Structures are given as structure tokens and as C-alpha cells.
Amino acid sequence: MFRNFPSVSALATVALMAACGTAFADQPYPWQIDLQPAASAVAEQVREFNYLISVIIVAISVFVLVLMAYIAWRFNAKRNPVPSKRAHNTVLEVLWTALPVLILVVIAVPSLKLLYVMDRNPAAEMTIKAVGHQWYWSYEYPDHDDFTFDSIMVPDDQLQPGQPRLLAVDNEVVLPIETDVRILVTSDDVIHSWAVPSFGIKTDAVPGRVNETWVRIRREGTYYGQCSELCGVNHGYMPIAVRAVSRQAFDEWTAAAKEKFARADGGGTRVAGRTATTTAR
Amino acid sequence: MYIVLSIVSALIGGGMSWIIRLELAEPGIQFIQDPQLYNVMVTAHGLIMVFFVVMPGLIGGFGNWFVPLMIGAPDMAFPRMNNISFWLLAAALCLLVTAGLTGTGPGTGWTFYPPLSNSTFHSGPAVDFGILSLHLAGASSILGAINFITTILNMRAPGMTMHRMPLFVWSMLVTAFLLLLAVPVLAGALTMLLTDRNFGTTFFAPEGGGDPVLWQHLFWFFGHPEVYIMIIPAFGIISQVVSTFSKKPVFGYLGMAYAMVAIGFIGFVVWAHHMYTVGLDVNTRAYFVLATMIIAVPTGIKIFSWLATMWGGSIEFKTPMLFATGFIALFVVGGVTGVVLANAGLDVQLQDTYYVIAHFHYVLSVAAVFALTTGFYYWIGKMSGRQYPETLGKIHFWLTFVGVNVLFFPQHFLGVAGMPRRIPDYPDAFAGWNMISSIGALITALGTLLFLFIVWRTMAAGKAAEPNPWGVGATTLEWSVPSPAPFHTHEELPRVSAQPAE
């Protein structure tokens, strides 16, 4: 049953494109009622699961509401002046306990499958680290000579044409497509949350902890997300922007970035053992 | 008194939400220039609605008034304890308002997550006032809970066995046990936060070997039972009202009673579904997914039993019944989105978005408040001796029902689209649904004004209420005494021979 859902999702996507013409934007679009278009296999599975469960809950809600409307009409005092006295029906009671259990099993199986798939990827090809601060993100590239930079929101009055308000940043995270990227998330002050809806990722940045998630981006583009844990005054003003590029463009970018940005460990010489720890992780 | 406090708090809390909605009506900052002020509003709105509207209204107000009436006791077991419980709550409300007005206020959200709530990021006494306020409110709840348990276990009239108690009494018993077990955990966590802030301990500070996630575990170990503390009394009220106006006994009485017990019990073992993104082990998350989904089963039993109670009945849609059916409808919508959120895989997309806001406003802001309103219309005659105006009550229902749906339904879409909660300004793409939501807030506010007028009208010019204005369906003991109920009811113990549900 679950296998059939890609076609449903394809249909829905077509309908969506027809409806608003802006599908495949990797940021929210007006009157959106669906998850953002997926840019990774995990996000695709999340979308499919969302369709499955949406169909189920709409069906349940409609069933109960229609039943209620029918009862309100049929058993109105005017239409049915003499109430029945029935207050038990064992078969019915067992039935409405057992049926929800079955429905829950139908939901639980794909749900758990999805949960384990998205958890982590032991075979990551590279690692980046996102660190939350009040109120911006900084990023480290430990596999590429450990350079680091801050990513700060572009204020409203400095927006370039085409940059989305409250989402655009000065330095985007650049990642290669078709590469398993491990993303480590932590914070150096309060709890933040690193979220990119198109990737199906939301991971809290907790001081004193390093959380791990991963992504394999399918197509080039710029993907936006917002901090998703209340982190103080400017919580609404620390967006996440990821630019996905081809592997070749990524190599060129890292070469330039090594020159442009400082090293995360601060020094020009590599601290002994750093590479070892990075690869061991 | 509890109900008056609840209505006053509702006006403060509701006023805040109205300001929040105005701010969010359009993209860009409208008139709350300081985002901290916005955060304080969000925090205070949450705390006031939870601790000072729903809890005192349902538990303090209706519980203290009708539990003794329904079980045939003259009053609660410890009237003086009840008194101090109320005044603690009043003091707590004052402290909370003080917190909001001190310095820059507590901009932490009602969950007080450290490190944001510790002394580095919220210096100044505002958060301390907030913590003390919750301490007092918690003490008040614990005293109230002891009072309920004692009353219900010891002061039932002869013949009123446990399995003959009205479901509202059952709901209060379950709620009281939840309070007694959950609130001390909150009190402990709050005390730890207080010492972290003021005495240099580091329970929640990683630099001293603590862990901010510990706070979240403790908070939600309280916080999840807390949501059932707010909704189970609502179940009780709805059961009474549905049975009364269908002129039928409650369908599956035992199933209904034990469904509440089950919900209360499972409510204690699902807390980490509020924390799917904090970095829990994947097996832990899998457990919490399953445990959380199981709650849907007893909840489903309740919904279907209400429908079965109405089935075959002779239903009179007076105002309380309208609100009760409205409750069931909205609770179903809020309930199924709860099942969605239970799935950790999908919740990653929805955690901390407006989807969550929509979900808990459907079950709390809408369903629990509908239950409060149901209780008000159902019992106001018994409490004040005067009946409400029926037509105005019905208009109030339709205004509110349409208003809350326009207000909260679009928030599901915002959440799925990824709009984070607790932000004063949002990317322009979210503008459309936010506008509609704010229009819904306007309709709901009109409904609230009408409700105030109805309260005034009832008190000033309401018709005198008979002992039992609802007819044959109202079988519980409170309808056997005059309206308003005398000071010490049931001075001669009533004898109960039949189950009220039969």
C-alpha cells in the first residue's frame, strides 16, 4: 500500500503546480498547504508518509463529523421524541477499540521505517558542523581544512532583488549534490534548532551536546529554513540558507573559501590529531 | 470565585492573543517594536491560559462546586484548604503579571527552557517571579487535588458506589491523581532552575556538568499529564451534558470511566514526544511514537461512546448541548492531528511549527474552552439561580464555532509549509493564511464580547431557574436540590439506589 504513494504524490505535485505555478521553489510559497517539495530521498519519504496519514485522518474526521450530523438530524427531539434506553453493546465497544488499533498499526509500520532511515548515515562522505549563536549560525568544514564562517540574515533594507525577506543570509552554506553529508549541530549559548524543510531536517542545537543528522541533496538550488526553537529576542531573524551545487563547483568553492575564511581552530598550523578525530567520527 | 478569576484571566490572556494575532496579520513588524515584548506576550498568554483560565475554571470552579453536589456530600472535605488554594492562585496570578511587567519580562515561552531562562540570558527578576508564580499555582493545585481525592473517596452518600458516580466525578478523581503526581515534578524542576539562576548550581548548565535536556525531560514529565489535567475534566462535563440532552444514560459507562483512567495513566509515559528533535536515541523515539499513538485508542472509545449516547436519543439542542457537540467535533480534529504529530519521522517537519499551534489550540483553546462554556451554560442556573438567555447563547455558539475554525484551521497549512512558532515576523509567503487566521480572531473576539454581555444579562435580568431546567435527562443529584444550590447541600444524606448512568 505504501509503495503506491509515489504516484499519489506525483499527482498531487502536478495539481499543486497547476494551482499556484510556483512548485519547486525551495522556500515557502503563498497559500501553501503541503510540505515543501523534497530535495532529498528522506524528505520524499516524509512527504509520502504525510500523504498517507493525511488521507487517514481526513477520512476519520469526515466519518465522525458526518455521523454526528446524521445523528443530530435523525435523533433530534422533534423527529425522535422517545429516547431509547440502550446503554451497552459489547460487540460495538470491542469493535471501536479494535479498529483504531488496526489503523494505528497501518500508520506505525511506515512511520517507524521512516524514523530509522532518517536517523543517521554511517557512510557519510563529508561532514559539516552548524553552530547556533544568538542570533546567527556559523558553519565549520572539518574535512576541508576546517575553515569556518558566520551566516547572518540580510536585513530588510539591504535585500538584493530575488532574495526572500527574513530567509536570505550573507554567507550561505554550500554543499555538493549527490553526496552523503553528515551534519553535526550544536550551540554555544542557548538552544536553537537547525531546520531545512526541503531536506526533511530539523535538529536541535543544544549547548553541551552534538546532534547528528544527514542529507543527500538531489538537485541544485538554494534551500531555506528558519531557527525552530525559541532562542531569545531575535529568534525570528536567524534563517538557514543552503546552496547546493555540483561536486565540481563545490570543489572550486571550497578552494576559494579556504583562502577567504578563517580556520575554526584559529591557527595556521594544523593541530595534531585533529584530522584523526575527524575521520574517526 | 474560581470562575470569576478564570474569566478575568481569560480576558487578559485572550487580549494578549488578540494582540499577537494583530501583529501577525501582515508580514513585517506592525506595532510591537521589540521582539522581546512579543516573546513575553507569548509566554504570558500560554501561562495564563493554562494555569489561570482552564485549570481554575474546570477544576477549581466546576469541580469544587459540583463534585460534592453530585456525590451527595454537604461540601468539599476541607473547605478551608479550598480557600487557601484559591488565594494562592490569586497571588500566583499577581506574581505572573508582576513578572510580565518587571524589566524586560520573561521571554522564554511557557516552557522556560534553559539556558534561555537562566541568569545569563534572562538576568533580572522577571523569570524568578514567573517561577515563584508557578510554584504558588502548583501548591494551590496540589492542595485542591488532595481535597478532591479525600472528598470523592470518603464522602459519597450511601449507595453512591464508585461505579455509580457520575462521569464528571470520575474525571475529577483522575485529574486529581494526575495533579498530585505531576505537579511536584514541576515544582522540583522549577526549584532547580531557581537555584541555577540564583545560587550557582548547574543542574541545567553544561559548563558545570548539567544538561539543558534534563529540564525538558522534567518539564514534560509534568507537562504532558498537564494537558490531560486540562482535558479530562472537559470529558467529564461533556459526558454529563450529552447524556442530559439526549435523555439517555451514557453509553458504555464503565468503558468511559476506565478510558479516562487509561488516558491518565498512559499520559505519564509519553512525555518525550515533545522532544523528538533534541537528539534522543532512535530507539527511544520509536518507543515514544508507539506509546503516544496508543492514547488514540481510549480517546476513540470516548468519542464513539458520546456518539452512541446521542444515537437513538431525543436530542434537544439547547446552548450547552450545542457547545458539547462543538467540543466533540473540534476535539476529533485536534485529536487526529495529534496522531500525526506522534510520528517522530513526520514530526521532524512539524515540530515547533504552526501545525503544533493549530493542534493544541484545537484541543485546548477550542475544545477545553468549549467545555468550560458548556459547563457555564449547563450549570449557571444551578449556581446563580438565574438562567441565561437561550437565543443569545446560540448566537454565541455559532459565532465562536465559526471564529475558532477560521482562526486555527489555516494554521495547519502554515505549519506544514514550515512557519516556525514564536516569531513576530514571517517570510512574505506566509501572509495569506495569517491574514485569514487574524480575521478568525476578530470573529472569536466578537463572540467573547457577546459572552460577556450574556453573563451580565444573566446576572442582571435572567429568569429564575427551576431546580431542574433540563427535564428528564438530568438525572444527577445536583438537579434534585433548589437553584441556586443552598450553602450546605444534602444536610440529610440522599440515598442512591441506581447508577446515575442507568
Side-chain angles (χ1 to χ4, degrees), chain A residues 27-36 43 46-47 49-50 53-54 57-58 60-61 63-65 67-68 70-78 80-89 92-93 96-98 100-101 104-105 107-108 111-112 114-116 118-120 134 156 165-167 188-191 193 196-209 211 226-237, chain B residues 27-29 34-36 39 107-109 113-116 121 206 211-213 216 246-253 255 277-279 282-283 285-286 289-290 293-294 296-297 300-301 303-305 307-308 310-317 325-326 328-329 332-333 336-337 339-340 343-353 355 413-414 416-430 432-433 436 501-502:
Chain A
Q27 50 177 299
Y29 50 86
W31 305 107
Q32 181 176 350
I33 58 168
D34 186 15
L35 292 171
Q36 281 174 37
V46 172
R47 277 169 67 90
F49 181 65
N50 184 42
I53 200 165
S54 298
I57 64 168
V58 169
I60 293 174
S61 305
F63 169 70
V64 175
L65 296 182
L67 191 62
M68 256 177 81
Y70 174 75
I71 291 173
W73 169 78
R74 173 66 185 79
F75 299 105
N76 203 301
K78 282 186 208 119
N80 192 38
V82 184
S84 90
K85 285 288 159 206
R86 176 183 283 273
H88 296 284
N89 184 332
L92 208 55
E93 287 179 58
W96 70 45
T97 311
V101 172
L104 288 177
V105 170
I107 297 175
S111 170
L112 292 182
L114 172 64
L115 180 64
Y116 280 88
M118 70 198 305
D119 181 45
R120 67 181 52 182
Q134 280 183 325
D156 289 5
R165 201 175 68 87
L166 299 180
L167 292 174
D188 79 345
D189 40 45
V190 303
I191 301 176
S193 186
V196 181
S198 295
F199 298 166
I201 288 183
K202 184 174 288 150
T203 301
D204 286 4
V206 183
R209 287 189 175 212
N211 284 332
Q226 291 173 278
C227 175
S228 297
E229 183 63 65
L230 179 62
C231 59
V233 179
N234 291 326
H235 164 55
Y237 307 99
Chain B
I29 293 290
D34 179 7
Q36 173 72 8
N39 290 346
T108 57
Y113 279 4
L116 186 59
F121 298 100
D211 186 354
V213 175
Q216 299 187 16
S246 305
K247 305 194 188 79
K248 271 184 71 193
V250 173
F251 189 94
Y253 169 85
T277 60
V278 300
V282 65
N283 295 323
R285 275 178 285 161
V289 169
L290 296 176
M293 291 210 294
I294 289 174
V297 176
I301 294 179
I303 301 273
F304 290 123
S305 297
L307 291 183
M310 290 161 72
W311 187 277
S314 173
I315 309 168
E316 273 186 84
F317 283 99
T325 22
I328 300 173
V332 168
V333 177
V336 290
T337 57
V339 175
V340 174
N343 296 287
L346 182 54
D347 180 68
V348 162
Q349 290 286 29
L350 304 173
Q351 168 88 23
D352 258 304
T353 66
Y355 197 92
F413 303 142
L414 287 173
V416 170
M419 177 173 166
R421 60 195 284 200
R422 296 166 169 169
I423 52 172
D425 189 6
Y426 46 80
D428 303 349
F430 298 131
W433 292 123
I436 293 193
E502 234 152 12

Side-chain angles (χ1 to χ4, degrees), chain A residues 16-28:
Chain A
L16 214 77
M17 285 171 76
C20 53
T22 47
F24 289 124
D26 297 311
Q27 50 177 299

Side-chain angles (χ1 to χ4, degrees), chain B residues 61-283:
Chain B
F62 296 131
N64 279 314
W65 208 312
F66 288 102
V67 163
L69 280 179
M70 283 181 158
I71 61 172
D75 194 351
M76 294 293 285
F78 309 115
R80 280 167 185 246
M81 198 155 92
N82 211 341
N83 195 21
I84 193 172
S85 167
F86 172 79
W87 286 109
L88 280 177
L89 202 61
L93 181 60
C94 294
L95 267 175
L96 187 67
V97 174
T98 315
L101 300 175
T102 308
T104 54
T108 57
W110 82 286
T111 49
F112 283 109
Y113 279 4
L116 186 59
S117 59
N118 71 16
S119 51
T120 317
F121 298 100
H122 266 88
S123 54
V127 173
D128 297 309
F129 276 126
I131 292 173
L132 289 174
S133 163
L134 291 194
H135 264 139
L136 288 189
S140 158
S141 299
I142 294 173
L143 292 178
I146 295 171
N147 207 349
F148 278 115
I149 295 174
T150 318
T151 309
I152 295 172
L153 293 185
N154 294 315
M155 292 178 65
R156 296 191 308 276
M160 177 66 79
T161 59
M162 292 295 276
H163 284 173
R164 286 177 180 174
M165 295 191 315
L167 282 174
F168 180 66
V169 181
W170 263 107
S171 75
M172 291 310 302
L173 184 64
V174 174
T175 307
F177 271 105
L178 292 186
L179 277 170
L180 201 61
L181 295 173
V183 175
V185 178
L186 174 72
L190 283 170
T191 309
M192 287 154 82
L193 187 59
L194 201 63
T195 61
D196 263 18
R197 287 178 56 81
N198 295 298
F199 307 124
T201 56
T202 53
F203 292 111
F204 308 122
E207 56 272 29
D211 186 354
V213 175
L214 173 63
W215 165 266
Q216 299 187 16
H217 281 292
L218 292 174
F219 183 86
W220 287 116
F221 188 82
F222 150 79
H224 200 76
E226 170 69 22
V227 305
Y228 295 115
I229 288 166
M230 290 187 278
I231 203 67
I232 287 180
F235 290 162
I237 293 179
I238 300 304
S239 299
Q240 303 304 143
V241 171
V242 166
S243 152
T244 297
F245 290 93
S246 305
K247 305 194 188 79
K248 271 184 71 193
V250 173
F251 189 94
Y253 169 85
L254 280 183
M256 288 292 254
Y258 286 100
M260 286 192 284
V261 176
I263 292 172
F265 181 77
I266 306 172
F268 274 104
V269 293
V270 297
W271 74 91
H273 65 211
H274 297 266
M275 306 162 52
Y276 283 145
T277 60
V278 300
L280 295 176
D281 181 69
V282 65
N283 295 323

Side-chain angles (χ1 to χ4, degrees), chain B residues 359-413:
Chain B
H359 160 68
F360 74 73
H361 277 94
Y362 258 91
V363 286
L364 283 186
S365 161
V366 180
V369 172
F370 264 48
L372 269 173
T373 323
T374 306
F376 175 84
Y377 285 118
Y378 184 57
W379 280 319
I380 186 65
K382 186 58 58 184
M383 294 191 293
S384 70
R386 289 171 184 277
Q387 275 303 63
Y388 64 90
E390 185 67 48
T391 319
L392 284 180
K394 284 182 177 161
I395 298 175
H396 175 217
F397 167 76
W398 286 111
L399 259 183
T400 318
F401 188 76
V402 172
V404 293
N405 278 299
V406 176
L407 171 52
F408 292 117
F409 206 80
Q411 297 187 356
H412 290 117
F413 303 142

